[in-house]
Amino acid sequence: NKGDSLAVSTDSGDLYNAVITRITETACRLTLTPTFNEDQSDSLEPDMTLYQCLLKGTKFETVVRQAIECGVTTIVPIITSRTIPVLDKKNTPKKLERWNRIVTEALQQSGRAAGCKVSKPVNLRDIRLDAGQNGLFFHEKSLAKASLHMYLSNSPQRVALLTGPEGGLSPQETDLLIQKEFKPVHLGPGVLRAETAAVYALAAVRTILREKPSWKPDRKE
């Protein structure tokens, strides 16, 4: 109806409030007003990089879409000893193009600003944490020496999360990640599907960091 409004975004991620100003039999006219997305300047919003080991079929695409919705800035496909998909010089560019097209769609759907991407795949042994970046890898076994809350107690603004492939990370790979200063996090009892683990981990980290300022220690009177 005339006067109704809705939120819209462009391919580049710009956000607008659209008001219907005219309706005809074949079209309707919208008046667009730029809107400010509060989350873009929210100091509580962490910069999250997801190191996602490659998954079979369309599972990796599912993770890409959901990770962008969960607030990830960069997704890096990781090759491990147990990843099944094979990428080569011929199919990698096509895969990257498709994955980043999914990123654009997810940004539009979730109302986030542009700037997110899927990077070129790298081998697990070649990943490096940037200065000031907290590294966490999520594992089905209890390797953790502290809770996720403890790992995030210093309110890091930059977090790198790594989740494994369907076959999990090998013992040698978990040792390598610890050497690279990634901290192991146990996802609790039960085994999650690889594509579920990524979303679970991202949601947990984002929620903890966003709510941390409201934490209140228990005090006994």
Side-chain angles (χ1 to χ4, degrees):
N1 297 326
K2 186 177 180 179
D4 288 349
S5 63
L6 67 156
V8 299
S9 64
T10 65
D11 289 343
S12 61
D14 296 323
L15 306 178
Y16 293 88
N17 181 57
V19 178
I20 300 175
T21 55
R22 183 182 178 187
I23 300 176
T24 68
E25 292 183 358
T26 58
C28 68
R29 177 177 293 176
L30 303 175
T31 298
L32 302 181
T33 303
T35 59
F36 178 72
N37 187 342
E38 294 181 356
D39 284 343
Q40 292 179 40
S41 65
D42 191 342
S43 61
L44 303 179
E45 196 69 29
D47 183 320
M48 297 192 297
T49 295
L50 175 63
Y51 288 101
Q52 175 60 58
C53 297
L54 287 167
L55 304 174
K56 294 184 293 185
T58 60
K59 293 179 181 179
F60 188 85
E61 296 177 3
T62 298
V63 171
V64 169
R65 187 180 304 278
Q66 295 178 338
I68 293 299
E69 294 174 5
C70 287
V72 159
T73 302
T74 304
I75 301 172
V76 184
I78 299 297
I79 301 168
T80 70
S81 62
R82 295 176 179 173
T83 51
I84 296 176
V86 177
L87 296 180
D88 53 34
K89 292 182 179 180
K90 182 178 180 180
N91 65 12
T92 296
K94 294 181 179 179
K95 289 284 188 180
L96 276 173
E97 181 181 356
R98 175 167 175 76
W99 292 336
N100 279 297
R101 187 164 62 247
I102 292 172
V103 168
T104 300
E105 294 170 356
L107 287 171
Q108 294 173 341
Q109 186 278 328
S110 60
R112 293 184 60 201
C116 307
K117 65 177 182 179
V118 179
S119 299
K120 292 181 179 180
V122 299
N123 196 288
L124 180 71
R125 63 176 177 268
D126 296 323
I127 65 175
R128 296 287 186 276
L129 289 175
D130 296 332
Q133 193 175 42
N134 267 32
L136 305 169
F137 73 93
F138 293 78
H139 201 272
E140 69 273 15
K141 295 182 180 179
S142 185
L143 302 175
K145 296 182 180 179
S147 68
L148 182 56
H149 280 75
M150 289 296 294
Y151 286 145
L152 300 174
S153 61
N154 62 341
S155 299
Q157 289 302 299
R158 304 181 65 209
V159 183
L161 305 89
L162 186 145
T163 57
E166 285 92 346
L169 298 167
S170 70
Q172 295 78 15
E173 288 166 340
T174 59
D175 290 343
L176 178 62
L177 286 170
I178 292 173
Q179 292 173 17
K180 292 176 177 289
E181 300 185 347
F182 278 78
K183 302 175 182 66
V185 180
H186 185 216
L187 293 179
V191 178
L192 298 176
R193 297 172 67 92
E195 63 271 30
T196 305
V199 178
Y200 182 108
L202 290 167
V205 169
R206 190 182 186 198
T207 299
I208 289 173
L209 290 178
R210 287 184 59 84
E211 294 185 353
K212 189 175 183 300
S214 66
W215 294 358
K216 294 182 179 179
D218 293 332
R219 294 181 179 178
K220 295 183 179 179
E221 300 295 339

